[in-house]
Amino acid sequence: MWIKGKAFIKDNIEDCCIEFDRKIKQIKKDCKPDISFNSSSLILPGSLDMHVHTRGMLLSYKEDIITATSEAAYGGVTTIVDMPNTKPYINTHERVLSRLREFENYSRTDYGIYSGVTDDNRVDEDPIAGYKIFPEDLEKPELKSILSSKRLKIIHPEIPISNNSFRNLREMWQELASLYFVQGKIHVTHATNYNTIELAKKFGFTVDFTPHHLLVSGEKDCLSKVNPPIRDKTEQNKLIRALFEADTIVSDHAPHTSKEKNMPYEICPPGIAAVSFTTPFVYTMFKKGIISLQRAVELVSKNPAKILGVNLGEIKEDKIANFTIISFNDWRYHTKFSKVLETPLDEFPLEANILTTIVEGKIAYDGEEVYPIRGVNIFDKSGNT
């Protein structure tokens, strides 16, 4: 297939043609394209989201792989990496393989999965993205062997006491303290404040943040309830520096049912469904002149691909043919394919819209519909990358 239009290549916008099947074959000035995108649109490397809870399995009533990855494609995300805290919990060789089969059958985007902390040594040889370390894992004896693994470790930055505290006692020092428990190839996820980003960088870790920790009010509202908690306005204002200094941005897409989110605040489950929000938000920040286009691409494509060590994140010959095509027009955010119908980001004004999402050289989203293309495990070294 050939596509033609303005594309972000080698840190510049160029008018060009891109030929691809599953991988990008060549880039040149002119061609007879199969699809032409007009001058108001922009062809970008496909976005990667390193932190998604697709649910599925026994939690499919909240979200499943079809709805989560369809929502991702609607949001311009071509690759998601799934967290292990579903039911059953993913931290054995057998459960890893079962989870990967579920994705192989149903994913509309490329994907990877994390294992939870485990004493099953076979997992380290499985085609996973790495390990997710939750607060309660910091006290487990098997953490030592996980930290010695060469695999990526992604840490939820809170200590075990955070799980047992009232929410108003879930303080920033607990987030910072968690970083002293780990070492090695560490990625710190959903930093809620600039101090965490600063400390992570000091320790040589990579780090991300979420749009909701930057934008959503931390009032006692179940719709906005997340872990770690949203900080006060002063800390949110400081967190704006993350747009310039964090390695990447993630959604922490964490869906729950409307019934669960209508429970009393003290017992309703934490989580915001936002996998489709992140990419339009980042490119809106570019459109507004807050960040450069190069920085926007780093946040959603180039840097997460680098952290994960996968052949994605740039429009370049021999890279996987994953593209996010955007147009610039005003609209207000809403979910479309997720089972979650209401989020605290609803009606947020955006200026970047997803025109088309291409995954593995196939159109996954055309601006209206998501198609059942077959995503692949980007960590399967048997021929998928």
Side-chain angles (χ1 to χ4, degrees):
M1 179 184 285
W2 285 92
I3 59 174
K4 184 176 182 178
K6 293 182 180 295
F8 184 76
I9 299 172
K10 296 179 180 178
D11 295 339
N12 291 298
I13 297 176
E14 299 182 12
D15 285 301
C16 67
C17 291
I18 305 169
E19 183 189 15
F20 56 87
D21 43 32
R22 186 174 167 263
K23 289 188 176 182
I24 298 171
K25 298 172 72 174
Q26 62 174 318
I27 302 168
K28 63 179 189 177
K29 285 292 183 183
D30 203 14
C31 66
K32 292 183 178 180
D34 298 288
I35 303 173
S36 288
F37 295 102
N38 63 35
S39 58
S40 65
S41 59
L42 190 56
I43 304 168
L44 297 156
S47 294
L48 295 85
D49 192 333
M50 292 179 60
H51 191 144
V52 176
H53 300 264
T54 62
R55 307 305 187 201
M57 306 182 91
L58 296 180
L59 297 180
S60 292
Y61 65 94
K62 298 175 186 276
E63 189 87 288
D64 58 45
I65 289 173
I66 292 175
T67 59
T69 57
S70 294
E71 187 71 14
Y74 158 64
V77 176
T78 58
T79 304
I80 63 101
V81 191
D82 182 56
M83 291 294 164
N85 59 331
T86 185
K87 289 184 180 179
Y89 192 74
I90 310 301
N91 69 341
T92 69
H93 172 69
E94 290 78 15
R95 289 176 183 175
V96 164
L97 296 186
S98 175
R99 186 63 161 168
L100 288 173
R101 282 193 295 270
E102 189 180 13
F103 269 94
E104 183 180 1
N105 289 330
Y106 298 113
S107 185
R108 280 22 178 172
T109 65
D110 283 345
Y111 58 89
I113 70 170
Y114 300 106
S115 168
V117 168
T118 179
D119 57 7
D120 186 342
N121 295 329
R122 298 173 297 169
V123 172
D124 210 51
E125 301 300 319
D126 289 333
I128 59 171
Y131 297 95
K132 175 64 183 290
I133 301 173
F134 291 96
E136 60 270 22
D137 296 323
L138 296 176
E139 293 180 334
K140 294 180 179 177
E142 53 265 40
L143 178 64
K144 184 177 180 180
S145 64
I146 295 300
L147 291 177
S148 66
S149 169
K150 294 180 180 179
R151 300 273 193 172
L152 180 69
K153 278 75 65 177
I154 180 167
I155 182 173
H156 174 122
E158 290 186 288
I159 55 177
I161 194 175
S162 304
N163 289 338
N164 303 316
S165 300
F166 290 109
R167 292 193 67 77
N168 63 339
L169 298 177
R170 231 169 155 144
E171 297 181 2
M172 272 176 45
W173 70 265
Q174 297 172 8
E175 185 171 326
L176 294 166
S178 68
L179 273 60
Y180 289 88
F181 283 76
V182 294
Q183 59 186 2
K185 190 177 181 182
I186 301 293
H187 178 80
V188 180
T189 194
H190 50 40
T192 69
N193 63 92
Y194 180 70
N195 291 348
T196 298
I197 292 172
E198 200 171 36
L199 185 61
K201 294 288 187 180
K202 178 182 176 181
F203 287 167
F205 304 156
T206 52
V207 61
D208 69 52
F209 69 107
T210 73
H212 53 258
H213 282 110
L214 189 64
L215 302 172
V216 173
S217 168
E219 294 177 4
K220 288 189 175 183
D221 172 8
C222 283
L223 208 58
S224 304
K225 183 179 178 180
V226 291
N227 291 338
I230 292 166
R231 306 300 176 187
D232 62 33
K233 200 64 183 176
T234 299
E235 294 302 331
Q236 282 187 308
N237 289 338
K238 292 178 184 177
L239 189 61
I240 292 171
R241 294 174 67 176
L243 283 166
F244 308 94
E245 298 182 35
D247 294 283
T248 183
I249 186 169
V250 300
S251 67
D252 187 14
H253 180 79
H256 297 288
T257 66
S258 297
K259 182 178 180 180
E260 289 170 323
K261 279 297 189 178
N262 281 319
M263 294 167 69
Y265 180 79
E266 290 75 15
I267 60 173
C268 68
I272 294 171
V275 69
S276 57
F277 180 83
T278 308
T279 294
F281 167 70
V282 168
Y283 287 113
T284 295
M285 294 300 98
F286 157 67
K287 180 67 165 53
K288 288 179 176 293
I290 295 170
I291 59 176
S292 68
L293 181 57
Q294 180 179 354
R295 177 59 180 161
V297 172
E298 285 176 353
L299 279 170
V300 296
S301 300
K302 192 172 184 179
N303 285 355
K306 184 178 179 181
I307 294 165
L308 293 166
V310 293
N311 189 29
L312 297 164
E314 296 178 88
I315 299 176
K316 186 177 180 181
E317 289 180 6
D318 204 42
K319 294 284 186 181
I320 302 298
N322 286 1
F323 305 99
T324 301
I325 297 93
I326 63 170
S327 59
F328 293 105
N329 55 278
D330 296 343
W331 68 292
R332 290 186 177 270
Y333 175 74
H334 53 82
T335 58
K336 188 171 184 178
F337 298 97
S338 173
K339 293 184 180 181
V340 174
L341 304 178
E342 185 180 8
T343 82
L345 295 165
D346 290 352
E347 299 302 315
F348 190 92
L350 296 167
E351 297 178 23
N353 199 12
I354 306 303
L355 188 63
T356 306
T357 304
I358 296 175
V359 177
E360 297 286 325
K362 300 178 180 67
I363 294 176
Y365 174 66
D366 65 1
E368 294 291 336
E369 300 294 332
V370 170
Y371 299 97
I373 65 98
R374 191 181 183 92
V376 302
N377 178 11
I378 57 171
F379 300 96
D380 184 351
K381 304 303 181 184
S382 65
N384 287 333
T385 57

